[in-house]
Amino acid sequence: MKIPRFSRKTLCIPYAVFLLFFVIAPMLVILVYAFTDRNMGFSFGNFVKFFSDPTKLSTIVYSIVIALITTVVCLLIAYPVAYILAHSKMKKKHVILMLFVMPMWINFVLRVNAIRELFNWIGLLGQANYFNTVFGMVYDFLPFMILPLYTTLMKIDPSLYEASYDLGGNAFTAFTRITLPLSVPGIASGVTMVFLPSMTNYVVSDMLGNSMVTIIGKFIYEYFGSDWHMGSMVALVLLIVVFISTFLTGGFKSEENVRGANL
Amino acid sequence: MKKRIFSLLAAALMLLPTLALLGGCGGKQADVILKVYSWAEYIDEGGEGSYLYDVEEVQDAPPILDDFEAWYEETYHESVRVDYATFGTNEDMYNEIVLGNEYDLLCPSDYMIMKLAAEDRIVPYDASFFDEADPNNYYVRNVSPYIKSVFENGTVTVTQNGEQAAHKWSEYAAGYMWGTTGFVYNPEHVERADLEELGWQTFISDKYTNRITAKDNVRDTYFAALGLTYEKELLALDRTSADYNKTLTAIFNRTAEEYTDAVGKTLLDMKKNIYGFETDTGKADMVSGKIWLNYAWSGDAVYALDEAEEKNDVLLEYFVPAAGSNLWFDGWVLTKGVEERGTKKAAQAFVNYMSMPASAMRNSYYIGYTSVVAGENDDMLNYTDYLYGVEDEEDETEENFYDLSWFFGDDNGEPVGIYADEEQRTSRQLFAQFPPEDVISRCAVMNYFDADTSERINELWSHVKAESLDPWTIIVIICAVIFIVALILFLQFRDKLGFVLRKRK
């Protein structure tokens, strides 16, 4: 009996099949639906309708703005936390890191519900829908920002700081010339992981914004209840936005440190 | 290494029950497999909360599906296994059907039944299903005369092989649950008299700003907006006219372009005033006191009333606007191909089993909605009396008599009804489950939207739900985004350029 020979190429087959059926095929289906009408005839109707409707464009703008604010707030909170954790000489810093990550272990819907009750108790629920939505997103996605930042900051060679101080640098220059540039891959990966989901996570906007805040994800969901073609067009536009933002944050670069920073 | 073996063993142990379960499923042989697709939590699932558990004191109350399987085998000497799947919205169900998933029996709402029939996706019941002589035909023998007339009078245009013909709803659908829509309110904050005066205007009344919710689905909220927009016209209708309900129904089905603009404006006004749109947080928010008014289906209203009473000791109430409201129902329909699959008999038997008074009580008790079943004798009436009737015989006065003849059918000219206290008769669970005839006559069924109308109204809905910036703001923001993108690209480019230059040195 001949033993079948496995090469590295053979090992790729399962993933290639997965890629084909669950990544490439659905995208093609979206593409087909986006450019067809109800009778499956080719049409630019949805394209024209999308870009001539201020509401749809506004929703894209709102989603991007909400996602941007979420990302910036996450970054502002996460960076100092990751920095302190990476530089502290505490023995138990893993415990603190775990405390930040732990909410991820609890079901997300449950957590959003808890926040909802909390906001109701404070009196914000139903009063500040946009604030609540952004708060919920920040709360939800913060760990995704902290982790890659922490990993990249941990990797910075301490001798670089020693060199900086030897050459007369102070703490500030050490930060701006060493820490910040070297943590860019972590920032980029954190930004990607927060920015993209917060454009579509409509559970947060529904629960905390009482469905008064409509983001692009909700839009897609609603269209898929009645009109798959328009829904696909919205999804396609979102895909393009995602593509551009990934390109800008350097997600397509194959540098070792970037990949290492991605979870 | 030892550790790893241990964890592997643990994993294997955890997998075992799953495997056994899978084996168990495949092992149960049945002559017929009936695939039922219905709403989530819309059937007696046994256990605590079951009628059997609470009232008949059956400690291990079985799910009603098990009882059906046993009954079917006993009656028809053929074993059946019910594959029961659930959906969350009519649209989800519709998508599944269109994608070609095979189910035998569906339980969609009124408009979706019409849509499925119009598109020739469901088939009529057999003539034998309507034979009252057969003792096993529980549906036709027990369904309320009122529901029967609604189903007889409603028509839908069905396209079959390119030909159009009008058919009665009753040919295609057997009712399951029905009800109205209205407001659940908290009488501590909201006065009934005030509601009666405001009617649909409650949605835009500044007294209830941020204290009232609308439904997060286009049809229900559009219906409410129709009521609000045309309230004066609705109230001015001649109630004694024979065509009253027809005219009312026509107004509640205004979807032509000439009306949608006005309704769209109303929807925006509503959005400014309400606390939020909800699909199922409304019940809990009512119970916890976050909101004072919740636009709800009567079944959910009953649930909220029960919950608030049990958990928070708050007595909520239910109100239906005088101008008219929505009459809705969910019914069983047979999908196309049910004959070829040989499941039609079992499917019809399933509907009949669900229409037995005993089953109707169980389902109704479990989910809080009102069954379409009136029963041949006084079973259902006694059940209603048991739940909502007065306890003292002294209170069985003429004043407390609640006439339900319109639903249960009169007793040789004598009115049929139960004795209930005033709260139950006017605003509590009894009123929500069985509104008086006067309220019912003011209710209208909302038809399905055809493809064009649906597209137009969905656009309208998206404009209501999402914020619209003015075009100039959008242009400015898009320009800014393009500028930022260009800047980042430039910076990256310059970086590379600098790198190249340095290398050359």
Coordinates of all heavy atoms in Angstrom, one line a residue, chain A residues 222-250:
Chain A
E222 N -32.1 45.5 9.1 CA -33.5 45.9 8.7 C -33.8 45.6 7.2 O -34.8 45.1 6.9 CB -33.8 47.3 9.1 CG -33.9 47.5 10.6 CD -34.8 48.7 11.0 OE1 -34.8 49.6 10.2 OE2 -35.4 48.6 12.0
Y223 N -32.8 45.9 6.4 CA -33.0 45.7 5.0 C -33.1 44.2 4.6 O -33.9 43.8 3.7 CB -32.0 46.3 4.1 CG -32.3 47.7 3.7 CD1 -31.7 48.8 4.3 CD2 -33.4 48.0 2.9 CE1 -32.1 50.1 4.0 CE2 -33.8 49.3 2.6 CZ -33.1 50.3 3.1 OH -33.5 51.6 2.9
F224 N -32.4 43.4 5.4 CA -32.5 42.0 5.1 C -33.8 41.3 5.5 O -34.1 40.2 5.2 CB -31.3 41.2 5.7 CG -30.1 41.1 4.7 CD1 -29.2 42.1 4.6 CD2 -30.1 40.1 3.8 CE1 -28.2 42.1 3.7 CE2 -29.0 40.1 2.8 CZ -28.1 41.1 2.8
G225 N -34.6 42.1 6.2 CA -36.0 41.6 6.5 C -36.9 41.7 5.3 O -37.8 41.0 5.2
S226 N -36.6 42.6 4.4 CA -37.5 42.9 3.3 C -36.9 42.9 2.0 O -37.4 42.4 1.0 CB -38.3 44.2 3.6 OG -37.3 45.2 3.7
D227 N -35.7 43.6 1.9 CA -35.1 43.8 0.6 C -33.6 43.4 0.6 O -32.8 44.2 1.0 CB -35.3 45.3 0.2 CG -34.7 45.7 -1.1 OD1 -34.2 44.7 -1.8 OD2 -34.8 46.8 -1.5
W228 N -33.4 42.2 0.2 CA -32.0 41.7 0.2 C -31.1 42.5 -0.7 O -29.9 42.6 -0.4 CB -31.9 40.3 -0.2 CG -32.5 39.3 0.8 CD1 -33.5 39.6 1.7 CD2 -32.2 38.0 1.0 NE1 -33.8 38.5 2.4 CE2 -33.0 37.5 2.0 CE3 -31.3 37.1 0.4 CZ2 -32.9 36.2 2.5 CZ3 -31.2 35.8 0.8 CH2 -32.0 35.4 1.9
H229 N -31.6 43.1 -1.7 CA -30.7 43.7 -2.7 C -30.2 45.0 -2.2 O -29.0 45.3 -2.2 CB -31.5 44.0 -4.0 CG -32.1 42.7 -4.6 ND1 -31.3 41.8 -5.3 CD2 -33.3 42.1 -4.5 CE1 -32.1 40.8 -5.6 NE2 -33.3 41.0 -5.1
M230 N -31.0 45.8 -1.5 CA -30.6 47.0 -0.9 C -29.7 46.7 0.3 O -28.6 47.3 0.5 CB -31.8 47.9 -0.5 CG -31.4 49.3 -0.2 SD -30.8 50.0 -1.7 CE -30.0 51.5 -1.0
G231 N -30.1 45.7 1.0 CA -29.3 45.2 2.2 C -27.8 44.9 1.7 O -26.9 45.3 2.4
S232 N -27.7 44.2 0.6 CA -26.4 43.8 0.1 C -25.6 45.0 -0.4 O -24.4 45.1 -0.2 CB -26.6 42.9 -1.1 OG -27.3 41.7 -0.7
M233 N -26.3 46.0 -0.9 CA -25.6 47.2 -1.3 C -25.1 47.9 -0.1 O -23.9 48.3 -0.1 CB -26.6 48.1 -2.1 CG -26.0 49.4 -2.6 SD -24.4 49.2 -3.5 CE -24.9 48.8 -5.1
V234 N -25.8 48.0 0.9 CA -25.3 48.7 2.2 C -24.1 47.9 2.7 O -23.1 48.5 3.1 CB -26.5 48.8 3.2 CG1 -25.9 49.5 4.5 CG2 -27.7 49.5 2.7
A235 N -24.3 46.5 2.7 CA -23.2 45.7 3.2 C -21.9 45.9 2.3 O -20.8 45.9 2.8 CB -23.6 44.2 3.1
L236 N -22.1 46.1 1.0 CA -21.0 46.3 0.1 C -20.3 47.6 0.4 O -19.0 47.7 0.5 CB -21.5 46.3 -1.3 CG -20.4 46.1 -2.4 CD1 -19.9 44.7 -2.3 CD2 -21.0 46.3 -3.8
V237 N -21.1 48.6 0.7 CA -20.5 49.9 1.0 C -19.7 49.8 2.3 O -18.6 50.3 2.4 CB -21.6 51.0 1.1 CG1 -21.0 52.3 1.6 CG2 -22.2 51.2 -0.3
L238 N -20.3 49.1 3.2 CA -19.6 48.9 4.5 C -18.3 48.2 4.3 O -17.2 48.6 4.9 CB -20.5 48.1 5.5 CG -19.8 47.8 6.8 CD1 -19.6 49.0 7.7 CD2 -20.6 46.8 7.6
L239 N -18.3 47.2 3.4 CA -17.1 46.4 3.1 C -16.0 47.4 2.6 O -14.8 47.2 2.9 CB -17.5 45.4 2.1 CG -16.6 44.1 2.0 CD1 -16.8 43.4 3.3 CD2 -17.0 43.3 0.8
I240 N -16.4 48.3 1.7 CA -15.4 49.2 1.2 C -14.9 50.1 2.2 O -13.7 50.4 2.3 CB -16.1 50.1 0.0 CG1 -16.4 49.1 -1.1 CG2 -15.2 51.2 -0.4 CD1 -17.4 49.7 -2.2
V241 N -15.7 50.6 3.1 CA -15.3 51.4 4.2 C -14.3 50.7 5.1 O -13.2 51.2 5.4 CB -16.5 51.9 5.1 CG1 -15.9 52.6 6.4 CG2 -17.4 52.8 4.3
V242 N -14.6 49.4 5.4 CA -13.7 48.5 6.1 C -12.4 48.4 5.4 O -11.3 48.5 6.0 CB -14.4 47.2 6.4 CG1 -13.4 46.2 6.9 CG2 -15.6 47.3 7.3
F243 N -12.5 48.1 4.1 CA -11.3 47.9 3.3 C -10.3 49.2 3.4 O -9.2 49.0 3.7 CB -11.7 47.7 1.9 CG -10.6 47.1 1.0 CD1 -10.4 45.8 1.1 CD2 -9.9 47.9 0.2 CE1 -9.4 45.2 0.3 CE2 -8.9 47.4 -0.6 CZ -8.6 46.0 -0.6
I244 N -10.9 50.3 3.2 CA -10.1 51.6 3.3 C -9.5 51.7 4.7 O -8.3 52.0 4.8 CB -11.0 52.8 3.0 CG1 -11.5 52.7 1.5 CG2 -10.2 54.1 3.2 CD1 -12.5 53.8 1.1
S245 N -10.3 51.5 5.7 CA -9.8 51.8 7.1 C -8.7 50.7 7.4 O -7.7 51.1 8.1 CB -10.9 51.8 8.1 OG -11.6 50.6 8.1
T246 N -8.8 49.5 6.9 CA -7.8 48.5 7.2 C -6.5 48.9 6.4 O -5.4 48.8 7.0 CB -8.2 47.1 6.7 OG1 -9.6 46.9 7.1 CG2 -7.4 46.0 7.2
F247 N -6.7 49.4 5.2 CA -5.5 49.8 4.4 C -4.8 51.0 5.2 O -3.6 51.0 5.3 CB -6.1 50.3 3.1 CG -5.0 50.8 2.2 CD1 -4.1 49.9 1.6 CD2 -4.8 52.1 1.9 CE1 -3.1 50.3 0.8 CE2 -3.8 52.6 1.1 CZ -2.9 51.7 0.5
L248 N -5.6 51.9 5.7 CA -5.0 53.1 6.4 C -4.3 52.7 7.7 O -3.2 53.2 8.0 CB -6.1 54.1 6.7 CG -6.6 54.8 5.5 CD1 -7.7 55.8 6.0 CD2 -5.5 55.5 4.7
T249 N -4.8 51.7 8.4 CA -4.1 51.3 9.6 C -3.0 50.3 9.4 O -2.4 49.7 10.3 CB -5.1 50.7 10.7 OG1 -5.9 49.7 10.0 CG2 -6.0 51.8 11.2
G250 N -2.8 50.0 8.1 CA -1.6 49.2 7.8 C -1.9 47.7 8.0 O -1.0 46.9 8.1

